[in-house]
Amino acid sequence: QVHLVESGGGLVQPGGSLTLSCVASGNSFSDHAMGWYRLAQGKPRELVAAIGDEEDMTIYSRNVKGRFTISRDNAKNTVDLQMNMLKAEDTAVYHCVQGLSGNVYGRWEHWGQGIQVTVSS
């Protein structure tokens, strides 16, 4: 059974930074794309960032491109999301997700429970 556990969320002021981390267990981590979705009240679900199994393919939502960076460590089964220049509109619950395959454009099969990020002064 696959488990995805997020950490690193919290309250941050506008313009600040946070790093979310996700540790995965239960399957061969390096064979799967990883990503981060966010869910905010009144807004559609959004794929914020994703990284392929070979680490050479990354995609970002236009809302975060240039501010967020996704990375993975296949030796540690972890995926991180470095978030800089945070804005109030980044406030959401962020979920770590794992793809069915190594392709960032494939289906997202497993979800973590999510972690709250609040950007407010």
Side-chain angles (χ1 to χ4, degrees):
Q1 189 173 2
V2 175
H3 289 283
L4 304 174
V5 179
E6 303 98 338
S7 62
L11 173 65
V12 63
Q13 291 188 339
S17 299
L18 273 179
T19 299
L20 302 182
S21 295
C22 172
V23 59
S25 61
N27 64 4
S28 181
F29 179 80
S30 60
D31 290 339
H32 299 269
M34 298 296 298
W36 290 90
Y37 265 92
R38 66 185 180 188
L39 280 71
Q41 200 164 12
K43 296 181 181 179
R45 183 175 69 179
E46 181 182 17
L47 178 62
V48 172
I51 185 166
D53 57 346
E54 298 291 339
E55 304 178 52
D56 57 347
M57 180 64 177
T58 56
I59 58 172
Y60 295 92
S61 159
R62 65 178 63 186
N63 293 322
V64 307
K65 197 167 187 178
R67 299 188 296 122
F68 290 12
T69 303
I70 189 170
S71 61
R72 66 189 293 163
D73 186 334
N74 287 341
K76 296 181 179 179
N77 288 6
T78 58
V79 58
D80 290 346
L81 184 68
Q82 173 68 43
M83 305 185 294
N84 298 323
M85 297 182 286
L86 283 160
K87 307 174 182 179
E89 49 264 45
D90 295 317
T91 295
V93 176
Y94 285 72
H95 292 263
C96 177
V97 294
Q98 186 182 70
L100 182 63
S101 72
N103 189 336
V104 297
Y105 296 108
R107 194 180 84 189
W108 298 102
E109 185 176 31
H110 299 289
W111 288 64
Q113 285 197 312
I115 193 162
Q116 179 70 45
V117 171
T118 302
V119 184
S120 175
S121 55

